[in-house]
Amino acid sequence: MRKSSFVIMLAATVAISITFWAIMVTLIAWSVVFLTGALHSSGLTSIPALSFWQSVGVLLLISLLSVPLRAGRINKDDNGR
């Protein structure tokens, strides 16, 4: 009984975490969509209006590119001790 309640709590925690991150990515992606759409319609034709999935791709690309930069900064701090 004790092990099953732990598994249920773990599954609930993972589900809540995934839901939270999905909502955050969605909100940021929609803000990028509206920002690029507003910049595009204001006469700045060099800035394309992005679709929702394009902005999600941009967010994922930025996240993936930031991981090595953070890892390098963490390793510098560890070697300096």
Side-chain angles (χ1 to χ4, degrees):
M1 180 68 183
R2 194 172 199 189
K3 189 173 184 175
S4 65
S5 65
F6 172 74
V7 172
I8 291 171
M9 287 189 336
L10 181 65
T13 303
V14 169
I16 291 169
S17 176
I18 289 172
T19 304
F20 172 76
W21 286 109
I23 289 171
M24 289 297 114
V25 167
T26 302
L27 288 174
I28 295 170
W30 276 116
S31 64
V32 170
V33 167
F34 291 131
L35 176 67
T36 57
L39 291 174
H40 181 74
S41 65
S42 68
L44 297 173
T45 57
S46 63
I47 298 175
L50 298 178
S51 71
F52 174 74
W53 291 111
Q54 287 172 331
S55 62
V56 168
V58 168
L59 290 175
L60 290 176
L61 180 67
I62 290 171
S63 298
L64 288 175
L65 290 175
S66 68
V67 170
L69 295 174
R70 276 188 276 154
R73 189 172 49 213
I74 291 170
N75 287 338
K76 283 184 182 178
D77 292 341
D78 288 342
N79 292 335
R81 289 183 186 177

